[in-house]
Amino acid sequence: GNQHNPIEYLKGEFGPSAIFIKSFRASSPESRSDVYNIGAAFTILFSELTNLGGITQNEWTRAQIDNAFDFYSDSHDPHPLGLDYSGVWMDNQTFMILILSLDRDEPKGPPPLTGGNFRVSVKASGNIRNRPPQST
């Protein structure tokens, strides 16, 4: 730029990340697809490498997971995973959530593990982006 045409810098939000959830799978410690107990795991596979949500620690707390993801079913939105759970990045593309505590008296009940009616989406607040950053 010069005095007649000064340099202008871009500022602001440049839109959502181009990554998406490729698969969402549940597994049970009893090796049964219809049982939801402590130790059940939910694995989220992203379409490409992520920035891990910008969080440097490997294990995520329930609060961090709830900030990054929405869980819902055909009957409940949101649908809680349990009383307590934690998550860990298996690699830059795969996030696994482990159920630590359940409330069988929760009116919504545990999430359904069969029938494909339990889903997840990424919240903007979770800051999960592609790595390295790319424009869409």
Side-chain angles (χ1 to χ4, degrees), residues 13-30:
E13 174 63 42
F14 296 98
S17 174
I19 66 171
F20 60 90
I21 293 173
K22 192 172 180 177
S23 70
F24 180 51
R25 297 191 176 163
S27 61
S28 170
E30 289 87 9

Side-chain angles (χ1 to χ4, degrees), residues 74-95:
D74 289 345
S75 55
H76 301 291
D77 184 8
H79 199 133
L81 287 175
L83 288 176
D84 196 20
Y85 38 91
S86 65
V88 63
W89 285 98
M90 307 303 287
D91 55 41
N92 281 57
Q93 201 169 353
T94 311
F95 188 71

Side-chain angles (χ1 to χ4, degrees), residues 76-125:
H76 301 291
D77 184 8
H79 199 133
L81 287 175
L83 288 176
D84 196 20
Y85 38 91
S86 65
V88 63
W89 285 98
M90 307 303 287
D91 55 41
N92 281 57
Q93 201 169 353
T94 311
F95 188 71
M96 185 177 72
I97 301 167
L98 185 65
I99 304 305
L100 304 174
S101 177
L102 292 172
D103 179 3
R104 295 272 178 214
D105 296 325
E106 159 64 43
K108 295 179 183 178
L113 296 184
T114 58
N117 61 356
F118 186 55
R119 294 174 292 284
V120 63
S121 62
V122 178
K123 294 179 179 179
S125 59

Side-chain angles (χ1 to χ4, degrees), residues 46-100:
F46 288 90
S47 59
E48 57 188 90
L49 298 179
T50 72
N51 67 347
L52 309 178
I55 297 177
T56 56
Q57 70 193 51
N58 193 34
E59 187 168 327
W60 283 26
T61 64
R62 176 185 174 168
Q64 290 168 313
I65 293 168
D66 290 347
N67 184 59
F69 301 102
D70 269 325
F71 300 95
Y72 53 99
S73 66
D74 289 345
S75 55
H76 301 291
D77 184 8
H79 199 133
L81 287 175
L83 288 176
D84 196 20
Y85 38 91
S86 65
V88 63
W89 285 98
M90 307 303 287
D91 55 41
N92 281 57
Q93 201 169 353
T94 311
F95 188 71
M96 185 177 72
I97 301 167
L98 185 65
I99 304 305
L100 304 174

